[in-house]
Amino acid sequence: MGKKNKNKKKGKGAEKTAMKTDKKLAAKQKKMLKKLEETDIVEVIGRLEEEEARIKILSEEICATPPTPRSNFTLVAHPEKEELILFGGEFYNGQRVCVYNDLFFYNVNKNEWKQIRSPPGPAPRSGHQMVAVATNCGQLWLFGGEYASPSQLQFYHYKDLWMMSLKTRKWEKITTSNGPSARSGHRMIVFKKKLFVFGGFYDNNQSYNYFNDVHIFSLESYTWLQVHIEGPVIPSPRSGCCMASTPDGNILVWGGYSKAKIKKDVDRGITHTDMYFLIPNKSEQDSTKYKWIAAKSNGYKPLPLSGVSCTSAPNGMVYSFGGVMDVDENEEDLHGQFGDDLLGLDLNSLTCHLIDIFKKKKIPSKHPKMCLHETLSKAVNTTSATTTDGTFTVRVAGPGVSASTSLEMPSFFPNYKSDSLPSPRMNAGLCVCKGILYVYGGLFEEDNKQYTFNDLYALNLHKPIEWKVIIPNNMNVHDWVDSESSDSDGEDDGEDSGEETKSESEMETE
């Protein structure tokens, strides 16, 4: 009995220490916010929602220019028309972040952008999820996401669910119990009149948590169903993964990103490369019982990337584009290598294909990606493998491995080239409409500068020979503010105000 009480006291002591640490971080953040004269994030969200509630008139305006540059937005195809629908996202100029809740419709045949202002709708957010369904002449369903303050010192995560009727162009907030907790970076798909939500993360700049839970919303009863996961297998927590429904009625999840504590005050990002099926209990009609089983794809082995854009097509294929791979140049510096590969995954055979249409110059004997691709592909599909040249370190998590695996090797991607179509990037918008694959926006980092795009490309999936440029890439579409010089006035002596902000690749994937 005495030993049990002793352990209990230890637990309370650890909890007390954690609370003290949180209080110190909160006090430091409060001091910095006061210096920046930044309003508390909860109060900001309240004002934004009040502003939305005051909008009473539905308006539609044809845009003279396309939407502004952004990443972490959603792009979906209209279920009945040849239109693309874009909502939200964020933009960072090196000093401040701006988060949007604007809604755009792009008419493919007219090459025309139209902005819709519908009362009252979701507050500004990024890292959310949105899907389109054909019910009642078309609906949009949107869940979750996050809002970042201009300084990125404060974050607010949503757990609200919204539906827009594409016929009336009006939003409706769906209020029901037993839904997912507040989060962003999750994934949501629609399958058999149900919304499936998986994963995501919550981060308030003092602590963070990644999720691997499953939630199902019925589009018939407008309720969150009670999901029962059976069996010992379960994916590790993650955000920014890929998710799709298969022709035989299962849900496929693969990849993603998470963070883990390495030591005190040190976190390490982990890129996941494993794949799982979520399988329903088919012995019971309308069962809410599911189990996870591990899976493995065939064919081309992708590089371990996070921030990958992914979309499903009616032909039983899932397409993914771009992404970033974090590489240690030394013990202190983290460098993001960006990709521009377009991949196709056949959901019937689980075979992955590299769709090579970028017209790049091939130099097999010197091209680092071509030389080392086979080595890396083998490494990410084993629990431990190491190749060394003493220059770079890549950290990945393979099947059944929650911790990172170290792998040292040189760069895998060529340097950025402006004539690459589309150029390397992460967190772009990707969707398929009437057999055409579209890529919009996203971001790319070179040296200490971050480029955020608003370019648009189209590829005919029936004859994928070359990309059609609808909006060309303009690397100078916006100015970049040097964060070092701009932040110098807002720092305390001996403190680095940049410690509280998210790194580029974390904004990413999430």
Side-chain angles (χ1 to χ4, degrees), residues 269-319:
I270 300 173
T271 300
H272 299 275
T273 61
D274 43 2
M275 176 180 285
Y276 298 88
F277 278 117
L278 180 66
I279 300 177
N281 186 338
K282 297 180 180 179
S283 63
E284 300 180 21
Q285 189 175 6
D286 296 328
S287 172
T288 56
K289 295 180 180 179
Y290 291 81
K291 68 176 180 180
W292 289 101
I293 63 170
K296 186 176 180 181
S297 63
N298 307 304
Y300 182 83
K301 300 299 181 184
L303 295 170
L305 301 171
S306 59
V308 176
S309 303
C310 179
T311 188
S312 297
N315 61 356
M317 295 287 290
V318 174
Y319 297 92

Side-chain angles (χ1 to χ4, degrees), residues 25 28-29 32 152-153 155 205-206 496-502:
L25 290 172
K28 181 181 178 181
Q29 179 169 306
M32 297 178 69
Q152 295 189 84
L153 290 176
F155 294 89
N205 242 345
Q206 297 174 31
D496 180 8
S497 63
E499 288 178 357
E500 303 287 351
T501 62
K502 287 187 178 182

Side-chain angles (χ1 to χ4, degrees), residues 169-463:
R169 302 291 176 92
K170 291 184 178 181
W171 287 105
E172 177 186 355
K173 187 174 183 179
I174 308 300
T175 303
T176 183
S177 59
N178 302 320
S181 60
R183 65 189 66 196
S184 65
H186 52 286
R187 289 298 176 258
M188 182 173 77
I189 63 169
V190 58
F191 181 66
K192 291 186 176 180
K193 298 183 180 180
K194 293 183 177 71
L195 301 178
F196 288 79
V197 176
F198 171 77
F201 75 101
Y202 178 90
D203 188 344
N204 62 4
N205 242 345
Q206 297 174 31
S207 61
Y208 61 83
N209 187 27
Y210 283 79
F211 305 110
N212 60 351
D213 48 354
V214 177
H215 299 268
I216 300 176
F217 181 81
S218 170
L219 296 178
E220 295 177 307
S221 64
Y222 277 32
T223 58
W224 289 101
L225 306 178
Q226 189 69 36
V227 182
H228 303 278
I229 302 297
E230 303 174 331
V233 177
I234 186 169
S236 57
R238 65 193 66 196
S239 70
C241 62
C242 295
M243 187 175 181
S245 60
T246 64
D248 56 357
N250 301 321
I251 304 297
L252 186 64
V253 170
W254 69 101
Y257 174 92
S258 64
K259 288 191 297 184
K261 289 280 185 187
I262 302 301
K263 56 183 179 179
K264 183 179 180 181
D265 299 328
V266 177
D267 298 321
R268 172 63 65 186
I270 300 173
T271 300
H272 299 275
T273 61
D274 43 2
M275 176 180 285
Y276 298 88
F277 278 117
L278 180 66
I279 300 177
N281 186 338
K282 297 180 180 179
S283 63
E284 300 180 21
Q285 189 175 6
D286 296 328
S287 172
T288 56
K289 295 180 180 179
Y290 291 81
K291 68 176 180 180
W292 289 101
I293 63 170
K296 186 176 180 181
S297 63
N298 307 304
Y300 182 83
K301 300 299 181 184
L303 295 170
L305 301 171
S306 59
V308 176
S309 303
C310 179
T311 188
S312 297
N315 61 356
M317 295 287 290
V318 174
Y319 297 92
S320 63
F321 175 77
V324 64
M325 180 167 59
D326 285 341
V327 177
D328 289 331
E329 295 189 6
N330 53 53
E331 292 183 355
E332 297 180 356
D333 296 329
L334 194 65
H335 174 68
Q337 296 188 22
F338 289 76
D340 59 357
D341 284 344
L342 176 64
L343 304 179
L345 176 66
D346 189 327
L347 292 174
N348 291 291
S349 62
L350 279 192
T351 303
C352 184
H353 306 275
L354 172 65
I355 304 175
D356 190 6
I357 56 173
F358 296 108
K359 312 288 185 183
K360 297 176 188 172
K361 295 180 180 179
K362 304 289 184 179
I363 311 177
S365 61
K366 296 182 179 180
H367 195 304
K369 185 169 76 170
M370 300 297 291
C371 295
L372 294 168
H373 180 269
E374 183 178 356
T375 302
L376 181 61
S377 297
K378 291 179 180 179
V380 300
N381 284 283
T382 58
T383 56
S384 63
T386 302
T387 303
T388 302
D389 77 346
T391 307
F392 296 97
T393 300
V394 180
R395 300 187 182 276
V396 300
V401 182
S402 58
S404 61
T405 300
S406 295
L407 184 67
E408 297 183 0
M409 56 185 62
S411 173
F412 304 101
F413 296 109
N415 293 330
Y416 170 76
K417 296 180 180 180
S418 59
D419 59 352
S420 180
L421 299 177
S423 62
R425 65 191 65 197
M426 64 184 285
N427 296 333
L430 194 70
C431 74
V432 174
C433 181
K434 309 298 183 182
I436 307 296
L437 177 69
Y438 295 89
V439 175
Y440 182 89
L443 59 88
F444 171 80
E445 191 178 65
E446 187 175 45
D447 299 324
N448 294 322
K449 184 174 181 179
Q450 180 176 305
Y451 299 90
T452 307
F453 302 130
N454 67 338
D455 48 353
L456 178 62
Y457 304 89
L459 178 70
N460 188 335
L461 294 175
H462 300 293
K463 195 176 181 181

Side-chain angles (χ1 to χ4, degrees), residues 125-129 143-147 156-158 183-186:
R125 66 192 67 202
S126 64
H128 54 282
Q129 286 285 279
F143 173 76
E146 72 176 57
Y147 178 87
Y156 183 93
H157 293 261
Y158 297 97
R183 65 189 66 196
S184 65
H186 52 286

